[in-house]
Each structure stands twice: as C-alpha cells, then as structure tokens.
Amino acid sequence: MLRSTEISAAAGTGDWISKPLSLVQAMFAQNETSRDWEKKVTDYFHEKLQNNLCSWVPSLNDSPLHYLKPGGLVRFRCMVQDMFDPEFYMGIYETVHLDSSARALHLGKYRDMADCTPHQEVDFHSSRTVTLERQTFYCVPVPGESPWVKEISLLCVHTRACASTSNAPNRLKRSLEEDDELPPSPGMQSDVQEKCKRLEMENQEKQQEAGASRSSQSLDLYFPLPGETGPACLVKVYENWESFKVNDVLEVYGILSVEPALSALNEDRDSVTSILDPADCMDTLEEQRAHSPPTSLVPRIHAIVIQKLLHTNPLIPNSVCETEESKQSVSSFVSQLSSVRAELLGFLTHALLGDSLAAEYLILHLISTVYARRDVLPLGKFSLNLSGCPRNSGFSQYLYRALQQIVTVSHYLPMTIENMNTTRFIPCKDYSANRLVSGLLQLPSHTLLVVDETVLEQGQLDTAGVRNLTALGNLITWQKVDYDFSYHQMEFPCNINVLVTSEGRSLLPSDCQVHLKPQLCPPSLEQYTEALMSATLPSLLNKFRMYLSLLQNMDYTISEEVTKAVEDDFVDMRKGDPQSISADDLHRLLVVARLLSLGTGQTSLSCETWLRAKELEIQRKSRLQDQKYLNGNEL
C-alpha cells in the first residue's frame, strides 16, 4: 500500500478527492521503475470508497458541471451508450527545461493534455517515452431513471458531502418552500443568507444552461429517450474495458477534465497541447465533432474505479459502497418480505381500480427478470398484457405514474400511429461520424416499459412503423434488439419488462394476458391517483422500492423432489383432457410459481406455492373465458 508520507499528504486532508492527480503523480514518482504503482493507485481508491465515503465524492448527476472542480475526483452514474475505437496516448513522456536543459518524466495517465510549464517542452524522441492504450465510452445518464432515485441520491449528497471536497455548495438545489421542510445541515448559514445566495446561483445557472442549450442545438447528445436531460460524458477507461459492453449501467469514479482545447478543430494546434488529443487521429470532420464535442457539454472523466451496477436503487447499496451496517439492514428487510408484499398488493389493487387478481400478476411482472439464456430462449421473462383497460380515460398514464414511484427505471410509450411511424426505436450506426445513433429501445436492464395500446387509433403504419412494431415484438419474445448497422443487423440482448395496456387483446405478443375487472369507477382518475399517492407514506414507498429491487437479484432453485412432484402433477392434469394444458401452460405455471416463491422470500419451490400458482392460473383463464363469451373478438 501507500507509504506513510503519501497517506499523510493526501489521505488525511481529503486531497484524494480534490487533488487526485497529485496523489497519482507522487505514487508514480516513487515507483517509476515498476508498474506496481498503477495497482497501488486503484487499490488505494478502492479502499477509500469502501470506507463508506462514496457519497463524499461530488456527483456529476447531482451537481451542475460548473460547480465541480476540474482535475478533482467525481462520480457519474450512467449507461454506456456507445464505445469508440481504442486510442493511443503517451502514458509516460519526458520534458526538457528550455533554460537549464533539466529533464523530467511526466505521467500522461488520467490526463488529456500534456503537463508542461511555459519553460518546458516535450522531447518527442526520448527513449523513455511509453505509448499506452485506453478505451473511450460515450456515457449518458441512465435513461428513464425515476425521479425518486435522483431525489434520494441528491439527499445523500446533501447530508454527507463535505465542503472541502468540492467547490459546489453544500446543499440541495430545491425551492424556497422546501427549505423549511428539511432540517439544515451543520454549519449552514442563516436562512436569509442561504436563500439570497441560492437565488443568485440559480440565476447564474439559468444563464449558463441557456448558453449551453443554444450551443447544443446543433449537437446531438444521443439520449435514447426523448426529453432526457443531464450531462453526457466521455469516459476514458484504462483497465479491463473488455468486461464492459454497450447498455451496461456503471458507477464511474474518476478525474474530471474540461479542457476547452479538446474541442478545437483547427489544424494549427500547438504540438504540446495536442500531444495527448485523440482527435488528431480521426479521418473526417464529422467524426472529430462527434468524438471531441465541447467539454462544456460533454466533459471527460478519466476512470480510476468503475463498478457495473446490478441496480440503481440508492436504498440498497452496491458492492463498492457496501458496509456491514448496510448488509444487516438488507438482511433484516428480507425477513419482512411477506408483509411488504401484502402491503404492495393492496397498493397495486387500488391503482388497478380494486382488481386484486390483476395486482397479483402485476407484482409477478415487476419482480421478473431474465436470469439465464438457453440458446435463443431468455429464461425468467414475464411480459404482461393487461387487457380490458378503458379507452380515452388516461388510465394507462395514471397507472404508469403510480408504478414510476416504485420502480427505478421506466418509460411510458403511447402507441399512437404518429409515434410508431416517426420515432426511432432501433439504434443505428452512423458511419460518417463513426458512432452509434441511439434509439428508444436502447434501454438498461430492469427497465419497465409501459406500452399504452389504448391510444391507438385507425391509421396506416408505414415502413418505419412496421419495423418498429416488429422490433417491439422481438423485444418481448426474445429479449433482444437488432441494431441497424446498414449492411447487417447486430443482435443486442436485453432484459426489459414490457407491460402492455390494451382494450382488447394486444397486437403485441405477451407471456401472460390478464383481463382487468375494475371494482371501482372514480369520477376523476387524476384525483383518485393523487389521493392514492398522498395516502401512501414515503416510508412505505421505500419498502416497495427495496422489495422490487431485491427480488430481481435473488437466487432460486427447485429440488429434485419437487421437480418430480410437478412432473407427476402435469401428467395427471393431462389424463382427463390432453388439450386442457399444453407445454406452454406448464412453462407459464413454472414461471408463476417461481415468482410467487421469490415474492415471499422463498428461494426454492414448495408444494404449497405450486398449488397457489395453479389457483391463480385457473382464475386468470376463467376470467378470459368469460370475456370471450361476452366479446368474441377479445380472444
């Protein structure tokens, strides 16, 4: 590990956050002849982050870029939208002092520009120069991330951030009315001074955002979903980049770089300032613009620690920030799963206008996930078609609002003719800019995609609309999206929960159809939904949020004894009427039984849960059969 002098110089003062490059340079200077210094750097920062100091690092998700210190350590929760070609850079280079001819070695790692004083120049012919390789990820904020995830993450920054770790103000950005609702942090100024300063900063921020908005009108930031905001970033990765892929959700800890010279496109660049600039190697102007956008809009982060996130729920720790206290808290919560499920069932029953059977299946849908793939078959998926939804009532939108309060990532897609014909669903390759253009179906794992078919009117789907409809069907059936690379299609597996709301049976495939039978008819669905959300305590919502995230990552097994009992039961069910249950029905039963088990915290199937799954399926099929007699077009 680090020497005692290094620890006292960096660790004790918080310089590992505010001046990480100084720490890295010191470790390099003391270990020039050995490559062990690189491992020492990553080990040191891993250790710091594991000591429950993750939230002390300023977040690019929660703070405007101009509040963050260039050259400081930052973190960024993001999705990999694209991966550029690997680039070469000068990992180690030598400079010569123009007056004294003194030579010095410099570290190029974690930097964009050569670190030279006005009296130094780089010796391009030095035998001590070491050329290395790094990868660049184009990353965007997690598409469809729920507002409550951002709010809780921001609250963590507010309660734990230290003023010495960043030049950002140590407080939440919130309205004046909310100031009185939250207790002030220690060391805060008086309310009057606080409000005056906040007004001034918000005014400055609006002016800067307006300038950035004008600058970005001609620059596509490649957000997959319309209306998304937040910074995009070029993340420079130095180790193990082969372990990451497009659409992975990452937590990146690295050094912020906002060098304005990086976006300069003139040909007469100074050789020293451009020595580490990868844009010099690019062939076309379009590629230069796409790969070296202005740092005021697309800053660079030189990654030191990268964690692939299984979830983005801030209520449940990920491994890099996991502590014994958090483990005990999660363990304690697991013992309450049955009671939490009962409360969640009540909440969703109200959201579904009193239909408890539909609520049962909606819970199964929300905790489902693709846990394995057998050849082309994704195992564990459970797409749901909720038919019988009233048309032109806004029911699907209000249901989505309720679900958005308990899932981490979601998107609402009105299935109108215009949306189907004009929206780009499938990402495609732009060869002139040498980059991937995003599409609506470029989504992270565990996204809840609510497709509202009740808004579909009569009209004609054009070629693009048919292609989008096919892409949705393939996503539901095979959990994959075929990206368009012009001359060929490239298959990208995904793990997206698709909920289709429709009046009759959906045009899209599904693993399970449940016909809604409302028990309530509120005069105003908007007021009804608002009343439901107001009556649900934030602490209860947090339980629902933890419940759904935990169960999507739980293990599950079936013992040989229960497997034999299920096989015998299947044979018995087919004895009387072989047509009464098919192989598809058995597969659905097994999925329902699995999700029912997990829903109560059981990691293996019991005979009681198997019987309960059969009961639910009998009720669901009976309801569909009744509807068939009422409306022959339903099925």
Side-chain angles (χ1 to χ4, degrees), residues 142-422:
V142 181
E145 191 172 66
S146 297
W148 66 266
V149 175
K150 297 181 174 70
E151 290 170 4
I152 293 179
S153 298
L154 189 59
L155 183 61
C156 292
V157 173
H158 171 63
T159 55
R160 294 185 182 179
C162 177
S164 63
T165 64
S166 170
N167 58 351
N170 182 22
R171 56 181 172 273
L172 280 172
K173 178 188 173 185
R174 57 187 187 274
S175 65
L176 299 184
E177 290 77 12
E178 290 174 310
D179 283 342
D180 298 327
E181 296 175 6
L182 291 174
S185 297
M188 271 192 171
Q189 301 177 8
S190 65
D191 288 344
V192 175
Q193 292 174 320
E194 184 72 16
K195 293 176 183 179
C196 289
K197 286 193 174 185
R198 186 178 302 108
L199 286 172
E200 180 182 354
M201 282 186 292
E202 287 184 352
N203 184 47
Q204 293 175 357
E205 183 179 336
K206 287 178 182 178
Q207 292 176 357
Q208 294 194 28
E209 286 176 350
S213 177
R214 289 191 295 271
S215 301
S216 63
Q217 287 177 356
S218 60
L219 180 67
D220 188 350
L221 295 182
Y222 302 98
F223 295 136
L225 298 178
E228 290 282 302
T229 59
C233 270
L234 291 180
V235 177
K236 308 286 184 176
V237 185
Y238 293 87
E239 290 96 15
N240 302 320
W241 58 72
E242 302 87 354
S243 61
F244 305 108
K245 59 184 184 298
V246 171
N247 301 338
D248 277 350
V249 175
L250 310 176
E251 185 90 65
V252 179
Y253 295 84
I255 297 171
L256 178 66
S257 173
V258 288
E259 297 285 352
L262 291 176
S263 55
L265 295 177
N266 57 58
E267 298 179 357
D268 300 325
R269 301 185 189 179
D270 181 83
S271 61
V272 173
T273 59
S274 65
I275 186 174
L276 300 178
D277 192 350
D280 284 339
C281 306
M282 297 175 190
D283 296 328
T284 66
L285 186 63
E286 290 82 3
E287 185 174 351
Q288 288 185 7
R289 285 174 175 164
H291 289 236
S292 288
T295 54
S296 59
L297 295 175
V298 185
R300 280 61 164 166
I301 297 179
H302 293 266
I304 300 177
V305 174
I306 301 181
Q307 179 192 13
K308 189 184 297 186
L309 299 181
L310 295 176
H311 60 80
T312 58
N313 191 334
L315 299 170
I316 304 174
N318 279 287
S319 58
V320 76
C321 286
E322 199 168 29
T323 63
E324 284 301 321
E325 182 181 354
S326 63
K327 291 179 182 178
Q328 292 175 2
S329 175
V330 170
S331 177
S332 174
F333 182 79
V334 169
S335 63
Q336 308 172 32
L337 288 180
S338 293
S339 61
V340 175
R341 186 189 190 281
E343 292 175 303
L344 178 59
L345 180 63
F347 173 79
L348 293 179
T349 298
H350 284 296
L352 293 169
L353 305 179
D355 189 341
S356 59
L357 180 64
E360 288 273 10
Y361 276 91
L362 185 53
I363 290 178
L364 304 183
H365 169 72
L366 292 175
I367 65 175
S368 65
T369 185
V370 177
Y371 62 86
R373 293 179 186 268
R374 296 288 183 267
D375 296 325
V376 297
L377 295 177
L379 303 181
K381 73 184 184 74
F382 193 66
S383 60
L384 182 63
N385 172 210
L386 190 63
S387 61
C389 299
R391 287 182 61 85
N392 304 320
S393 64
F395 169 77
S396 300
Q397 287 179 278
Y398 295 121
L399 174 62
Y400 173 72
R401 287 186 191 177
L403 296 178
Q404 193 181 29
Q405 292 295 318
I406 59 176
V407 299
T408 55
V409 189
S410 63
H411 181 63
Y412 169 74
L413 173 61
M415 197 173 167
T416 62
I417 294 294
E418 181 181 3
N419 280 343
M420 298 301 293
N421 287 340
T422 61

Side-chain angles (χ1 to χ4, degrees), residues 357-358 360-365 368 381-387 476-477 498-502 504-506 508-516 584-585 587-589 591-592 595 613 616-621 624 635:
L357 180 64
E360 288 273 10
Y361 276 91
L362 185 53
I363 290 178
L364 304 183
H365 169 72
S368 65
K381 73 184 184 74
F382 193 66
S383 60
L384 182 63
N385 172 210
L386 190 63
S387 61
I476 294 171
T477 304
V498 183
L499 171 64
V500 182
T501 58
S502 59
R505 186 184 180 94
S506 172
L508 295 166
S510 65
D511 296 309
C512 183
Q513 180 193 359
V514 177
H515 191 80
L516 183 69
D584 289 339
D585 293 326
H587 175 73
R588 187 187 305 109
L589 260 175
V591 174
V592 169
L595 296 172
L616 285 179
E617 280 293 275
I618 290 172
Q619 294 178 45
R620 182 186 68 85
K621 289 182 177 180
L624 289 176
L635 297 178

